[in-house]
Amino acid sequence: KGQAEADALARKAEAFAAYGEAAVLDLLVKVLPQVVEAASAPIGAIDKMTVISTDGASSLTKSVAGNVAQGLQLGSDLTGIDLAGLLARLGAAAENGKSKPAVEA
């Protein structure tokens, strides 16, 4: 069983090397919603809250965004790939695709 798991892991590593950013992007798109959900879960479990802060409730959204950013940074540190930059390029590509007029046949 251990050898089979090691072989599967080696094949995954080869695929990531062969497909580079595309493979990482595919994985990131699948995992990112889970990361955001996990980062926001503690706030979602709050029934009632009183905020005493000069920043107000906006500090909560900043906290969730900070947690997601830290998760992306950790992923970048572990993989050696700039995940935030990869997502930014994906967003820019998607935005460019939306702004282009439809091509008629």
Side-chain angles (χ1 to χ4, degrees):
K1 180 181 177 182
Q3 184 62 44
E5 289 176 355
D7 290 343
L9 189 58
R11 284 193 299 275
K12 281 184 182 179
E14 289 171 5
F16 274 97
Y19 294 106
E21 285 187 349
V24 174
L25 183 59
D26 180 59
L27 179 63
L28 188 59
V29 167
K30 290 176 184 173
V31 173
L32 191 59
Q34 296 169 358
V35 171
V36 173
E37 182 180 354
S40 62
I43 293 172
I46 296 171
D47 182 40
K48 181 179 178 184
M49 171 180 20
T50 302
V51 177
I52 302 173
S53 169
T54 57
D55 292 334
S58 67
S59 63
L60 294 174
T61 55
K62 289 179 188 175
S63 176
V64 171
N67 288 343
V68 172
Q70 288 175 3
L72 285 175
Q73 184 59 51
L74 179 61
S76 292
D77 293 345
L78 291 173
T79 63
I81 295 173
D82 179 12
L83 299 178
L86 188 59
L87 283 173
R89 289 195 303 277
L90 174 67
E95 189 61 34
N96 288 338
K98 285 182 191 175
S99 63
K100 290 182 182 176
V103 177
E104 295 184 25

